């Protein structure tokens, strides 16, 4: 499978889809080209020669900037090679303490800041710090169109995985609340298709996370003091068992939030995170 150019989403936005489709990435990672006279590439994607060649062809020798939402290995690894070929300026945020999910080749002269404006003669992107999925995650608002490039903060057709220790459920909920303050007219996700009615989507995600938290509490009451792996099938009894390997990270994030809220205790933390034992208060 090779990368292909999808429809022109607007006069300023085109999309390419990387050939890395899976249960977790949907049809593949979205790479966006912004502009008409010169181009900004948002989320170059994973290492893939066919995807690199597709980006270069679409860029027509006019790629001037590269913007990255976060440094997971399906979003940023092509940055290094694309910048080397085009000389493009790179914007994004490097993790202070990278984990094994991170693209360690990514670097910037200076980390992007919340509220920073990335302006060209054609458009302005506003950087919005949205930790939760991971600590260095930024969404970018295309002000001219009210279009939010959401990276992995919001996906089409599924919820995102929260991966501690950098991923944080409390931060994720706060970041969802923050997005309600912006004049959003659509969401361009890191995976999947254009999402209309953005505020309704944000509110639905918020309610879903609270529902899952309540299921975590109910599940812990049912099983008593238990390991994450023992709690997992009770809390996620409504999902495809094939995704439980990934859901355990989000459950870990829910347990850590309950701990921070004073509602649960990790009673035994030896071994891997999913072997630690937890007890609910009350």
């Amino acid at each position: 499978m090779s990368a292909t150019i999808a429809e022109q989403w607007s006069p300023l936005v085109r999309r390419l889809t990387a050939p890395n489709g899976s249960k977790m990435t949907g049809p593949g990672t979205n790479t966006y080209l912004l502009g008409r006279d010169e181009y900004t590439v948002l989320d170059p994607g994973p290492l893939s020669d066919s995807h690199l060649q597709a980006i270069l062809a679409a860029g027509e020798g006019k790629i001037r900037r590269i913007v990255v939402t976060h440094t997971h290995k399906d979003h940023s690894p092509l940055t290094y090679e694309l910048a080397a070929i085009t000389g493009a300026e790179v914007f994004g945020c490097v993790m202070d303490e990278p984990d094994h999910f991170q693209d360690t080749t990514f670097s910037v002269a200076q980390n992007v800041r919340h509220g920073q404006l990335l302006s060209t003669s054609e458009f302005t992107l506003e950087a919005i710090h949205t930790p939760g999925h991971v600590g260095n995650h930024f969404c970018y608002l295309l002000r001219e169109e009210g279009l939010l490039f959401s990276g992995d903060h919001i996906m089409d057709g599924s919820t995102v995985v929260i991966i501690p220790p950098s991923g944080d459920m409390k931060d994720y909920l706060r970041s969802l609340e923050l997005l309600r303050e912006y004049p959003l007219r659509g969401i361009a996700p890191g995976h999947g298709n254009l999402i209309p009615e953005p505020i309704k989507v944000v509110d639905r995600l918020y309610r879903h996370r609270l529902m899952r938290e309540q299921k975590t509490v109910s599940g812990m009451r049912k099983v008593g003091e238990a390991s994450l792996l023992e709690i997992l099938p009770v809390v996620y009894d409504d999902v495809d068992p094939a995704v439980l390997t990934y859901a355990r990270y989000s459950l870990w994030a829910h347990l850590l939030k309950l701990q921070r809220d004073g509602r649960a205790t990790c009673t035994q933390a030896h071994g891997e995170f999913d072997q630690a034992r937890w007890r609910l208060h009350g």
Side-chain angles (χ1 to χ4, degrees):
M1 179 180 177
S2 61
T4 56
I5 297 177
E7 76 266 31
Q8 181 106 23
W9 280 18
S10 76
L12 286 171
V13 180
R14 285 182 289 162
R15 179 186 66 174
L16 297 86
T17 302
N20 64 328
S22 70
K23 280 187 174 294
M24 297 309 296
T25 61
T29 301
N30 288 332
T31 295
Y32 296 97
L33 267 67
L34 314 181
R36 290 180 291 252
D37 298 327
E38 59 182 36
Y39 299 118
T40 295
V41 175
L42 192 143
D43 279 355
L47 290 176
S48 164
D49 186 64
S50 65
H51 194 51
L52 174 63
Q53 296 308 315
I55 294 171
L56 291 170
E60 303 171 328
K62 298 186 290 186
I63 294 172
R64 301 291 181 262
R65 287 160 223 88
I66 300 169
V67 177
V68 168
T69 59
H70 65 297
T71 53
H72 278 162
K73 294 177 183 177
D74 57 333
H75 284 260
S76 65
L78 269 187
T79 300
Y80 181 83
E81 193 168 356
L82 185 62
I85 293 171
T86 63
E89 188 176 5
V90 177
F91 298 89
C93 185
V94 177
M95 284 277 288
D96 291 333
E97 298 181 8
D99 55 35
H100 68 278
F101 295 103
Q102 297 298 313
D103 164 27
T104 57
T105 70
F106 183 80
S107 65
V108 289
Q110 185 175 16
N111 282 339
V112 71
R113 305 178 309 280
H114 175 71
Q116 183 174 346
L117 302 181
L118 310 180
S119 297
T120 76
S121 61
E122 299 177 281
F123 61 84
T124 296
L125 282 177
E126 181 175 357
I128 305 171
H129 188 208
T130 49
H133 174 64
V134 68
N136 67 339
H137 194 288
F138 278 77
C139 294
Y140 295 90
L141 176 63
L142 182 60
R143 284 184 159 190
E144 287 73 10
E145 298 184 359
L147 185 63
L148 184 78
F149 296 95
S150 66
D152 277 357
H153 190 65
I154 298 173
M155 292 173 60
D156 174 34
S158 68
T159 56
V160 302
V161 177
I162 311 299
I163 307 177
S166 180
D168 185 288
M169 191 63 70
K170 207 173 189 74
D171 285 347
Y172 185 77
L173 290 170
R174 286 172 178 161
S175 293
L176 287 175
E177 291 174 339
L178 175 64
L179 290 181
R180 298 190 86 263
E181 300 175 8
Y182 290 85
L184 309 183
R185 296 201 292 270
I187 297 173
H191 306 277
N193 294 312
L194 178 68
I195 302 173
E197 299 184 306
I199 299 304
K200 287 185 179 180
V201 171
V202 168
D203 289 346
R204 185 170 66 246
L205 286 172
Y206 196 92
R207 291 193 302 269
H208 173 81
R209 290 298 183 184
L210 294 183
M211 177 276 293
R212 191 66 71 187
E213 179 177 302
Q214 185 54 49
K215 283 198 72 172
T216 302
V217 170
S218 299
M220 293 175 76
R221 288 192 178 125
K222 181 177 181 179
V223 301
E225 183 173 324
S227 72
L228 184 151
L229 288 179
E230 292 169 327
I231 302 168
L232 181 65
V234 179
V235 176
Y236 285 87
D237 59 353
D238 55 346
V239 304
D240 182 349
V243 304
L244 288 181
T245 296
Y246 305 100
R248 64 196 178 117
Y249 291 107
S250 288
L251 177 56
W252 185 22
H254 277 295
L255 291 169
L256 290 172
K257 179 180 181 297
L258 290 172
Q259 183 182 44
R260 288 174 63 185
D261 291 344
R263 301 178 65 191
T265 298
C266 181
T267 61
Q268 188 178 28
H270 302 298
E272 295 296 321
F273 75 91
D274 52 10
Q275 297 169 0
R277 299 188 69 79
W278 294 83
R279 183 178 69 244
L280 186 69
H281 293 175

